[in-house]
Amino acid sequence: MASEEELFANIDALLAEEPQLPPPAERARLREAAGITQARLAQALKSTTQTVKNWENGRSEPKPPRLEAYQRLLNGWAAKYPAHRTPTAPIAAPEPVVPQSFTGRAAPDAAEAEPAAPVQAPAAARAPERPAATSRRPARNRPVPNIAAGPYRHGPLAVLDGDGSAYGVEGIVLDCPATTVPELVEWTLKESGLGAAKLHRYGKDSDPLIVLTAAAAVKLGLPERLEGHEQRRSLRLPEAHSVVKQVVKAKWQLTQRGFGPWARIYRKAQGRERQCVQLAILSWDALDERSWPGVAEMEPADIARVLGVYAQRVITPRGSTAVSGLELMTALRPPTRAVQDPETGNWVSGHNAGSLGTEPMDPAPPEATPEHPVVVQSGWTGGFLNEEAYQWVRDVDTLTGDECALPFAVGLDLNTAFLAAAARLVVGLSAPDHFRNVKFNPKIPGSWLVDLSHIEVDPRLPSPFTPDGSQPTGPAWYQTHTVAYAQELGHDVHPIEAYLRRETGAYLDPWHDRLKNAYVDTLADMGVTRDLDDRQFLTAMEQHKQNDPALAAVLSAIKATVKGGVGKLRERPQGKHYKDGDRWPALERPTWRPDIRAAVISKARVNMHRKLNNMAKMTGLYPLAVLSDCVVYPSPGASPLDFLPYAASGKPQPGGFRLGPTPGLAKLEGVQEMAWAVDLMEKGLNPARHIKGGDAVMDEGE
């Protein structure tokens, strides 16, 4: 029998070994329970957010000295937040009162704010067994990829051609024997190994996506094209079509959207196992040319590459980029989470703090649209929020001779301005409460009836309070950011009434972070990196689309996801048979939130005006026109470098427009002669729309 001294020696030897960390999932749980974000933890440990993510999904382990510090922190959290802690009962919201010092609920804990990175197996475990009736063939001599083992070993999606080849990500090719749509669905779910892990620990895995080429659609019995007189996006196969009958006979179901360009085929989930496949039919215009330029005409392997990069960096496409943008919000902020019933001890579905919940919420009347039931049924005549993007042209009479003598008009475009505005944006999470004669509080998201008509603005600049840049003529409804900016400019504001929300949070933060990373990473892959100086940046931007058309399409889709996602927050009714006052399908979504859309656009417009104002103070330059996130300036040269403000050190002056590849920074939109711009202005046209040499897409967030 071992002596006490020997046993103690063995224990001391164990203690001397490297600290043993808890499993990755427990590390994430402890951090989230403490309310600490991954970014904050990375800062404390002098590391990076991505490194912390890797520790929490098992991709890597910390090394000394961070290992010991991390272990100490986790031990402290484990003592404070043991597993299976019974949650406290929710506190009922108070009755509406005038919010003298009300600031709303704090932003949600990190458990709700931080999405969970998909778990990947270590490299040594990435040799998956091939499913029956599948094979791996290099597409266009691309190497066979190292795709993680597991249920989704072949990636999120595949593009099916007419010969039964299903082209997946990173060059993988699977053999698909299906000759009917039901057979394709069965093969996808049982044999393909397609799908993607959830983006948040409380979310759901992404259903596999099968993209059908025209030849594949015809082989499966579908028409090569959908014909009809309605809008293309609303076209559907008739219920009497043979393929729809096949689907129903096989006991599969279609969503209410029916069998259109983006068809979802499903059966009710059995336990935790989802049974759903998303189809996208290329010849039915599933990939809109404006969002996915040139993709529908690419070879199947290249289409798979484009969609695969988008799926990896954003989300597996679930419809148009607008639909995907909205779905991404929910995927990163799932409405429910498992909570333990304190009485029975059973785990039940409960609200996930920081999300929009599962039930739709009616807006305040001024936040709605004129056809909304809230407006029609109440007979509301008090006006509406008009928080839209700029469409402003300067009065030609305010141009000076010196300005007209400048040779060039140079357009600057702000990168994903709506996305930049979504960063750290506090929005309302609960229903609106009505107040009269309330004191303005810039920390409370909501809608305020205020008279800003007394605030005069330099006629060479647009008013920050109206989309067309004109001065307000009386009391009007404004979102919090617009009123706060009036206060920032030194003016007193006295709201007449307001609709405010008690529960608040930075709902869009994870959406912003994921799309920002997708945008910046894709630009970097195209040679436009953050370490470039301004001259190098302009040169790189001139040729980045030519470097890789596939990545250029991904970048376009990311930008469309931002704009479309914001627009979907206030989706209007469609169809010639709609009558004012009727509910339309979008109203049944918790994500029909026109107040959140107004908050994003209000902040974006205020950000634009702040830069315009600072530019005038620093350089004496005034814009010729603004269209959403594009501004046109008179310039002595054909480059932004000829008029942007720089310090003596060569660094850009803070507060004005700055060049760069991140959201909110600027890039060159186009250059024309100054005489060309003045001619358009005299005709009442907007030079910002045409500065590229053609029509720019007007972006109202719809």
Side-chain angles (χ1 to χ4, degrees), residues 356-431:
L356 298 182
T358 58
E359 297 299 322
M361 182 185 301
D362 279 340
E367 297 166 348
T369 55
E371 67 272 14
H372 194 284
V374 164
V375 174
V376 175
Q377 293 169 12
S378 67
W380 174 261
T381 58
F384 299 94
L385 279 176
N386 188 25
E387 299 289 11
E388 302 295 342
Y390 268 133
Q391 295 184 61
W392 171 80
V393 179
R394 185 171 153 192
D395 188 338
V396 178
D397 292 338
T398 66
L399 292 174
T400 66
D402 289 342
E403 286 178 313
C404 292
L406 292 172
F408 296 104
V410 177
L412 292 177
D413 179 71
L414 297 184
N415 303 320
T416 56
F418 286 176
L419 185 62
R424 314 303 171 250
L425 176 68
V426 177
V427 299
L429 301 177
S430 56

Coordinates of all heavy atoms in Angstrom, one line a residue, residues 356-431:
L356 N -36.1 39.9 -30.0 CA -37.4 40.6 -30.2 C -38.6 39.7 -29.8 O -39.7 40.0 -30.0 CB -37.6 41.0 -31.7 CG -36.5 42.0 -32.2 CD1 -36.8 42.4 -33.6 CD2 -36.6 43.3 -31.3
G357 N -38.3 38.5 -29.3 CA -39.3 37.6 -28.9 C -40.0 36.8 -30.0 O -39.5 36.9 -31.2
T358 N -41.1 36.2 -29.8 CA -41.8 35.3 -30.8 C -43.1 36.0 -31.3 O -43.6 35.5 -32.2 CB -42.1 34.0 -30.2 OG1 -42.9 34.1 -29.0 CG2 -40.8 33.2 -29.8
E359 N -43.5 37.0 -30.6 CA -44.8 37.6 -31.0 C -44.6 38.9 -31.7 O -43.8 39.7 -31.3 CB -45.7 37.8 -29.7 CG -46.1 36.5 -29.0 CD -46.9 35.6 -29.9 OE1 -47.7 36.1 -30.6 OE2 -46.6 34.4 -29.8
P360 N -45.4 39.2 -32.8 CA -45.3 40.5 -33.4 C -45.8 41.6 -32.5 O -46.6 41.4 -31.6 CB -46.2 40.3 -34.6 CG -47.2 39.2 -34.3 CD -46.4 38.3 -33.4
M361 N -45.3 42.8 -32.8 CA -45.6 43.9 -31.9 C -46.1 45.1 -32.8 O -45.4 45.5 -33.8 CB -44.4 44.3 -31.1 CG -44.5 45.5 -30.2 SD -42.9 45.9 -29.4 CE -42.5 44.3 -28.7
D362 N -47.2 45.7 -32.5 CA -47.7 46.8 -33.2 C -46.9 48.0 -32.9 O -46.5 48.3 -31.8 CB -49.2 47.1 -32.9 CG -50.1 46.2 -33.7 OD1 -49.7 45.6 -34.7 OD2 -51.3 46.0 -33.2
P363 N -46.6 48.8 -33.9 CA -45.8 50.1 -33.7 C -46.7 51.2 -33.1 O -48.0 51.1 -33.1 CB -45.4 50.4 -35.1 CG -46.5 50.0 -36.0 CD -47.0 48.7 -35.4
A364 N -46.1 52.2 -32.7 CA -46.9 53.4 -32.4 C -47.4 54.0 -33.7 O -46.8 53.9 -34.8 CB -46.0 54.5 -31.7
P365 N -48.6 54.7 -33.7 CA -49.1 55.2 -34.9 C -48.2 56.0 -35.8 O -48.1 55.8 -37.0 CB -50.3 56.1 -34.4 CG -50.7 55.4 -33.2 CD -49.4 54.9 -32.5
P366 N -47.4 57.0 -35.2 CA -46.5 57.7 -36.1 C -45.3 56.9 -36.6 O -44.7 57.3 -37.6 CB -45.9 58.8 -35.1 CG -46.1 58.3 -33.8 CD -47.3 57.4 -33.8
E367 N -45.1 55.7 -36.1 CA -44.0 54.8 -36.6 C -44.5 53.9 -37.7 O -43.7 53.3 -38.4 CB -43.4 54.0 -35.5 CG -42.8 54.8 -34.4 CD -42.5 54.0 -33.1 OE1 -43.1 52.8 -33.0 OE2 -41.8 54.5 -32.2
A368 N -45.8 53.8 -37.8 CA -46.4 52.9 -38.8 C -46.5 53.5 -40.2 O -46.0 54.6 -40.4 CB -47.8 52.5 -38.4
T369 N -47.1 52.8 -41.1 CA -47.3 53.3 -42.5 C -48.8 53.7 -42.6 O -49.6 53.2 -41.9 CB -46.9 52.3 -43.5 OG1 -47.6 51.0 -43.3 CG2 -45.4 52.0 -43.5
P370 N -49.1 54.5 -43.6 CA -50.5 55.0 -43.7 C -51.5 53.9 -43.8 O -52.7 54.0 -43.4 CB -50.5 55.9 -44.9 CG -49.1 56.4 -45.0 CD -48.2 55.2 -44.5
E371 N -51.1 52.7 -44.4 CA -52.1 51.7 -44.6 C -52.2 50.7 -43.5 O -53.0 49.7 -43.5 CB -51.7 50.9 -45.9 CG -50.4 50.1 -45.8 CD -49.2 50.9 -46.2 OE1 -49.3 52.2 -46.3 OE2 -48.1 50.3 -46.5
H372 N -51.3 50.9 -42.4 CA -51.3 49.9 -41.3 C -52.6 50.0 -40.5 O -53.2 51.0 -40.3 CB -50.1 50.3 -40.4 CG -49.8 49.2 -39.4 ND1 -50.5 49.0 -38.3 CD2 -48.8 48.4 -39.4 CE1 -50.0 48.0 -37.6 NE2 -48.9 47.6 -38.2
P373 N -53.1 48.8 -40.0 CA -54.3 48.7 -39.3 C -54.3 49.7 -38.1 O -55.4 50.2 -37.7 CB -54.4 47.3 -38.8 CG -53.6 46.5 -39.8 CD -52.5 47.4 -40.3
V374 N -53.2 49.9 -37.4 CA -53.1 50.8 -36.2 C -53.5 52.2 -36.6 O -54.2 52.9 -35.9 CB -51.7 50.8 -35.6 CG1 -51.5 51.9 -34.7 CG2 -51.5 49.5 -34.9
V375 N -53.2 52.6 -37.8 CA -53.5 53.9 -38.3 C -54.9 54.0 -38.8 O -55.7 54.9 -38.5 CB -52.5 54.3 -39.5 CG1 -52.9 55.6 -40.1 CG2 -51.1 54.4 -38.9
V376 N -55.3 53.0 -39.7 CA -56.6 53.1 -40.3 C -57.7 52.9 -39.2 O -58.7 53.7 -39.2 CB -56.7 52.0 -41.4 CG1 -58.1 51.9 -41.9 CG2 -55.7 52.2 -42.5
Q377 N -57.5 52.0 -38.3 CA -58.6 51.7 -37.3 C -58.7 52.8 -36.3 O -59.8 53.0 -35.7 CB -58.3 50.4 -36.7 CG -58.5 49.2 -37.6 CD -58.0 47.9 -37.0 OE1 -57.7 47.8 -35.8 NE2 -57.9 46.9 -37.9
S378 N -57.6 53.5 -36.0 CA -57.7 54.6 -35.0 C -58.0 56.0 -35.6 O -58.3 56.9 -34.9 CB -56.3 54.7 -34.3 OG -55.3 55.2 -35.2
G379 N -58.0 56.1 -36.9 CA -58.2 57.3 -37.6 C -57.1 58.3 -37.3 O -57.3 59.5 -37.4
W380 N -55.9 57.8 -37.1 CA -54.7 58.7 -36.8 C -54.4 59.7 -37.9 O -54.4 59.4 -39.1 CB -53.5 57.8 -36.6 CG -52.2 58.5 -36.4 CD1 -51.3 58.8 -37.4 CD2 -51.7 59.1 -35.2 NE1 -50.2 59.5 -36.8 CE2 -50.4 59.7 -35.5 CE3 -52.2 59.2 -33.9 CZ2 -49.7 60.3 -34.5 CZ3 -51.4 59.8 -32.9 CH2 -50.2 60.4 -33.2
T381 N -54.3 61.0 -37.5 CA -54.0 62.0 -38.4 C -52.8 62.9 -37.9 O -52.6 64.0 -38.4 CB -55.2 62.9 -38.6 OG1 -55.6 63.5 -37.3 CG2 -56.4 62.2 -39.3
G382 N -52.1 62.3 -37.0 CA -51.0 63.1 -36.3 C -49.7 63.1 -37.0 O -48.7 63.6 -36.5
G383 N -49.6 62.6 -38.2 CA -48.3 62.6 -39.0 C -47.5 61.3 -38.7 O -47.8 60.5 -37.8
F384 N -46.4 61.2 -39.5 CA -45.6 60.0 -39.4 C -44.1 60.4 -39.3 O -43.7 61.5 -39.8 CB -45.8 59.1 -40.6 CG -47.2 58.6 -40.7 CD1 -48.1 59.3 -41.5 CD2 -47.7 57.5 -40.1 CE1 -49.5 58.9 -41.7 CE2 -49.0 57.1 -40.2 CZ -49.9 57.7 -41.0
L385 N -43.3 59.5 -38.8 CA -41.9 59.6 -38.9 C -41.5 59.7 -40.4 O -42.0 58.9 -41.2 CB -41.2 58.4 -38.3 CG -41.0 58.2 -36.8 CD1 -40.4 56.9 -36.5 CD2 -40.1 59.3 -36.3
N386 N -40.6 60.6 -40.7 CA -40.0 60.6 -42.1 C -38.5 60.5 -42.0 O -37.8 61.4 -42.5 CB -40.5 61.9 -42.7 CG -40.1 62.0 -44.2 OD1 -40.0 60.9 -44.8 ND2 -40.0 63.2 -44.7
E387 N -38.1 59.4 -41.4 CA -36.6 59.2 -41.3 C -36.2 58.4 -42.5 O -36.2 57.2 -42.5 CB -36.3 58.5 -40.0 CG -36.7 59.2 -38.7 CD -35.8 60.4 -38.4 OE1 -35.0 60.8 -39.3 OE2 -35.9 61.0 -37.3
E388 N -35.7 59.1 -43.5 CA -35.2 58.5 -44.7 C -33.9 59.0 -45.1 O -33.4 60.0 -44.5 CB -36.2 58.8 -45.9 CG -37.6 58.3 -45.6 CD -37.8 56.8 -45.5 OE1 -36.9 56.1 -46.0 OE2 -38.8 56.3 -45.0
A389 N -33.2 58.3 -46.0 CA -31.9 58.7 -46.4 C -32.0 60.0 -47.2 O -33.0 60.4 -47.8 CB -31.2 57.6 -47.3
Y390 N -30.8 60.7 -47.3 CA -30.8 62.0 -48.0 C -31.0 61.9 -49.5 O -30.5 61.0 -50.1 CB -29.4 62.6 -47.8 CG -29.3 63.6 -46.6 CD1 -28.2 63.5 -45.8 CD2 -30.2 64.6 -46.4 CE1 -28.0 64.3 -44.7 CE2 -30.1 65.5 -45.3 CZ -29.0 65.3 -44.5 OH -28.8 66.2 -43.4
Q391 N -31.8 62.8 -50.0 CA -31.9 63.1 -51.4 C -31.9 64.6 -51.6 O -33.0 65.2 -51.6 CB -33.2 62.5 -52.0 CG -33.3 61.0 -52.0 CD -34.5 60.5 -52.7 OE1 -34.7 60.7 -53.9 NE2 -35.4 59.8 -52.0
W392 N -30.7 65.2 -51.6 CA -30.6 66.6 -51.6 C -29.7 67.1 -52.6 O -28.6 66.6 -52.9 CB -30.1 67.0 -50.2 CG -29.7 68.5 -50.0 CD1 -30.6 69.5 -49.8 CD2 -28.4 69.1 -50.1 NE1 -29.9 70.7 -49.7 CE2 -28.5 70.5 -49.9 CE3 -27.1 68.5 -50.3 CZ2 -27.4 71.3 -49.9 CZ3 -26.0 69.4 -50.3 CH2 -26.2 70.8 -50.1
V393 N -30.1 68.2 -53.3 CA -29.3 68.9 -54.2 C -29.2 70.4 -53.8 O -30.2 71.0 -53.5 CB -29.9 68.9 -55.7 CG1 -29.0 69.6 -56.6 CG2 -30.0 67.4 -56.1
R394 N -28.0 70.9 -53.8 CA -27.8 72.3 -53.3 C -28.4 73.3 -54.3 O -28.3 73.0 -55.6 CB -26.3 72.5 -53.2 CG -25.9 73.9 -52.6 CD -24.4 73.8 -52.3 NE -23.8 75.1 -52.4 CZ -22.5 75.3 -52.4 NH1 -21.7 74.3 -52.4 NH2 -22.0 76.6 -52.4
D395 N -28.9 74.4 -53.8 CA -29.4 75.4 -54.7 C -28.3 76.0 -55.5 O -27.3 76.4 -55.0 CB -30.1 76.5 -53.8 CG -30.8 77.6 -54.6 OD1 -30.5 77.7 -55.8 OD2 -31.7 78.2 -54.1
V396 N -28.5 76.1 -56.8 CA -27.4 76.6 -57.7 C -27.0 78.0 -57.4 O -25.9 78.4 -57.5 CB -27.9 76.4 -59.2 CG1 -26.8 77.0 -60.1 CG2 -28.1 75.0 -59.5
D397 N -28.0 78.8 -56.9 CA -27.7 80.2 -56.6 C -26.7 80.3 -55.4 O -26.2 81.4 -55.3 CB -29.0 80.9 -56.2 CG -30.0 81.0 -57.4 OD1 -29.5 80.9 -58.5 OD2 -31.2 81.1 -57.1
T398 N -26.5 79.3 -54.7 CA -25.5 79.4 -53.6 C -24.1 79.1 -54.0 O -23.2 79.2 -53.2 CB -25.9 78.5 -52.4 OG1 -25.8 77.1 -52.8 CG2 -27.3 78.7 -51.9
L399 N -23.9 78.7 -55.3 CA -22.6 78.4 -55.7 C -21.8 79.7 -56.0 O -22.4 80.7 -56.5 CB -22.6 77.6 -57.1 CG -23.2 76.2 -57.0 CD1 -23.3 75.6 -58.4 CD2 -22.2 75.3 -56.2
T400 N -20.6 79.7 -55.6 CA -19.7 80.9 -55.8 C -19.0 80.7 -57.1 O -18.8 79.6 -57.7 CB -18.7 81.1 -54.7 OG1 -17.8 79.9 -54.7 CG2 -19.4 81.1 -53.3
G401 N -18.4 81.8 -57.6 CA -17.6 81.8 -58.8 C -16.4 80.9 -58.6 O -16.0 80.2 -59.6
D402 N -15.8 81.0 -57.5 CA -14.6 80.1 -57.2 C -14.9 78.6 -57.3 O -14.2 77.8 -57.8 CB -14.0 80.4 -55.8 CG -13.3 81.8 -55.8 OD1 -13.0 82.3 -56.9 OD2 -13.1 82.3 -54.7
E403 N -16.1 78.3 -56.7 CA -16.5 76.9 -56.8 C -16.8 76.5 -58.2 O -16.3 75.4 -58.7 CB -17.8 76.7 -56.0 CG -17.6 76.7 -54.5 CD -18.8 76.5 -53.7 OE1 -19.8 77.2 -54.0 OE2 -18.9 75.7 -52.7
C404 N -17.5 77.3 -59.0 CA -17.8 76.9 -60.4 C -16.5 76.9 -61.2 O -16.5 76.2 -62.3 CB -18.7 77.9 -61.0 SG -20.4 77.9 -60.2
A405 N -15.5 77.6 -60.8 CA -14.2 77.5 -61.6 C -13.4 76.3 -61.3 O -12.5 76.0 -62.1 CB -13.4 78.8 -61.2
L406 N -13.7 75.5 -60.3 CA -13.0 74.3 -60.0 C -13.3 73.3 -61.1 O -14.4 73.2 -61.6 CB -13.4 73.7 -58.7 CG -12.9 74.5 -57.4 CD1 -13.6 74.0 -56.2 CD2 -11.4 74.5 -57.3
P407 N -12.3 72.5 -61.5 CA -12.5 71.7 -62.7 C -13.3 70.4 -62.5 O -13.9 69.9 -63.5 CB -11.0 71.3 -63.1 CG -10.2 71.4 -61.9 CD -10.9 72.5 -61.1
F408 N -13.3 69.9 -61.3 CA -13.9 68.6 -61.1 C -15.0 68.5 -60.0 O -15.0 69.3 -59.1 CB -12.8 67.6 -60.7 CG -11.8 67.3 -61.8 CD1 -10.5 67.9 -61.7 CD2 -12.0 66.6 -62.9 CE1 -9.5 67.7 -62.6 CE2 -11.1 66.4 -63.9 CZ -9.8 67.0 -63.7
A409 N -15.9 67.6 -60.2 CA -16.8 67.2 -59.2 C -16.5 65.7 -58.8 O -16.5 64.9 -59.7 CB -18.3 67.3 -59.7
V410 N -16.2 65.5 -57.5 CA -15.7 64.2 -57.1 C -16.8 63.6 -56.1 O -17.2 64.3 -55.1 CB -14.3 64.3 -56.4 CG1 -13.9 62.9 -55.8 CG2 -13.3 64.8 -57.4
G411 N -17.2 62.4 -56.4 CA -18.1 61.7 -55.5 C -17.5 60.8 -54.5 O -16.6 60.0 -54.9
L412 N -17.9 60.9 -53.2 CA -17.4 60.0 -52.2 C -18.6 59.1 -51.8 O -19.7 59.6 -51.6 CB -16.9 60.7 -51.0 CG -15.6 61.5 -51.1 CD1 -15.3 62.3 -49.8 CD2 -14.4 60.6 -51.5
D413 N -18.3 57.8 -51.6 CA -19.4 56.9 -51.1 C -18.9 56.3 -49.8 O -17.8 55.8 -49.6 CB -19.6 55.8 -52.1 CG -20.6 54.8 -51.7 OD1 -21.8 55.2 -51.7 OD2 -20.3 53.7 -51.3
L414 N -19.8 56.4 -48.8 CA -19.5 55.8 -47.5 C -19.8 54.3 -47.5 O -20.9 53.9 -47.9 CB -20.4 56.4 -46.4 CG -20.1 57.9 -46.1 CD1 -21.0 58.4 -45.0 CD2 -18.7 58.2 -45.9
N415 N -18.8 53.5 -47.1 CA -19.0 52.0 -47.1 C -20.1 51.6 -46.2 O -20.1 52.0 -45.0 CB -17.7 51.4 -46.6 CG -16.5 51.7 -47.4 OD1 -16.6 51.8 -48.7 ND2 -15.4 51.9 -46.8
T416 N -21.1 50.9 -46.7 CA -22.2 50.3 -45.9 C -22.6 51.3 -44.7 O -22.5 50.9 -43.5 CB -21.8 48.9 -45.3 OG1 -20.6 49.1 -44.6 CG2 -21.6 47.9 -46.4
A417 N -23.1 52.4 -45.1 CA -23.4 53.5 -44.1 C -24.4 53.0 -43.1 O -24.4 53.3 -41.9 CB -23.9 54.7 -44.8
F418 N -25.4 52.2 -43.6 CA -26.4 51.7 -42.6 C -25.8 50.7 -41.6 O -26.2 50.7 -40.5 CB -27.6 51.0 -43.4 CG -28.5 52.0 -44.1 CD1 -29.5 51.5 -44.9 CD2 -28.3 53.3 -44.0 CE1 -30.4 52.4 -45.6 CE2 -29.2 54.2 -44.7 CZ -30.2 53.7 -45.5
L419 N -24.9 50.0 -42.1 CA -24.2 49.0 -41.2 C -23.4 49.8 -40.1 O -23.4 49.4 -39.0 CB -23.3 48.1 -42.0 CG -22.6 47.0 -41.2 CD1 -23.7 46.0 -40.6 CD2 -21.7 46.2 -42.1
A420 N -22.7 50.8 -40.6 CA -22.0 51.6 -39.6 C -22.9 52.2 -38.6 O -22.6 52.3 -37.4 CB -21.2 52.7 -40.3
A421 N -24.1 52.6 -39.0 CA -25.0 53.2 -38.1 C -25.6 52.2 -37.1 O -26.0 52.6 -36.0 CB -26.2 53.9 -38.9
A422 N -25.6 50.9 -37.5 CA -26.2 49.9 -36.6 C -25.2 49.6 -35.4 O -25.7 48.9 -34.5 CB -26.4 48.6 -37.4
A423 N -24.0 50.0 -35.5 CA -23.0 49.6 -34.5 C -23.4 50.3 -33.2 O -23.6 51.5 -33.1 CB -21.6 50.1 -34.9
R424 N -23.5 49.5 -32.1 CA -23.8 50.0 -30.7 C -25.1 50.8 -30.7 O -25.2 51.8 -29.9 CB -22.7 50.8 -30.2 CG -21.3 50.2 -30.4 CD -21.2 48.8 -29.8 NE -19.9 48.1 -30.2 CZ -19.9 47.1 -31.0 NH1 -21.0 46.6 -31.5 NH2 -18.7 46.5 -31.3
L425 N -26.0 50.5 -31.6 CA -27.3 51.3 -31.7 C -28.3 50.7 -30.7 O -28.7 49.5 -30.8 CB -27.8 51.2 -33.1 CG -29.2 51.8 -33.3 CD1 -29.1 53.3 -33.2 CD2 -29.7 51.4 -34.7
V426 N -28.7 51.5 -29.7 CA -29.7 51.0 -28.7 C -31.1 51.2 -29.3 O -31.4 52.3 -29.7 CB -29.5 51.8 -27.4 CG1 -30.6 51.3 -26.4 CG2 -28.1 51.5 -26.8
V427 N -31.9 50.2 -29.3 CA -33.2 50.2 -29.9 C -34.2 49.7 -28.8 O -33.8 49.1 -27.8 CB -33.3 49.4 -31.2 CG1 -32.4 50.0 -32.2 CG2 -33.1 47.9 -30.9
G428 N -35.5 49.9 -29.1 CA -36.5 49.5 -28.2 C -36.8 48.0 -28.4 O -36.8 47.5 -29.5
L429 N -37.0 47.3 -27.3 CA -37.3 45.9 -27.4 C -38.8 45.6 -26.9 O -39.3 44.5 -27.2 CB -36.3 45.0 -26.5 CG -34.9 45.2 -26.8 CD1 -34.0 44.4 -25.9 CD2 -34.6 44.7 -28.3
S430 N -39.4 46.5 -26.3 CA -40.7 46.3 -25.8 C -41.7 47.2 -26.5 O -41.3 48.0 -27.4 CB -40.8 46.6 -24.3 OG -40.4 48.0 -24.0
A431 N -43.0 47.1 -26.2 CA -44.0 47.9 -26.9 C -43.9 49.4 -26.5 O -43.4 49.7 -25.4 CB -45.4 47.4 -26.5

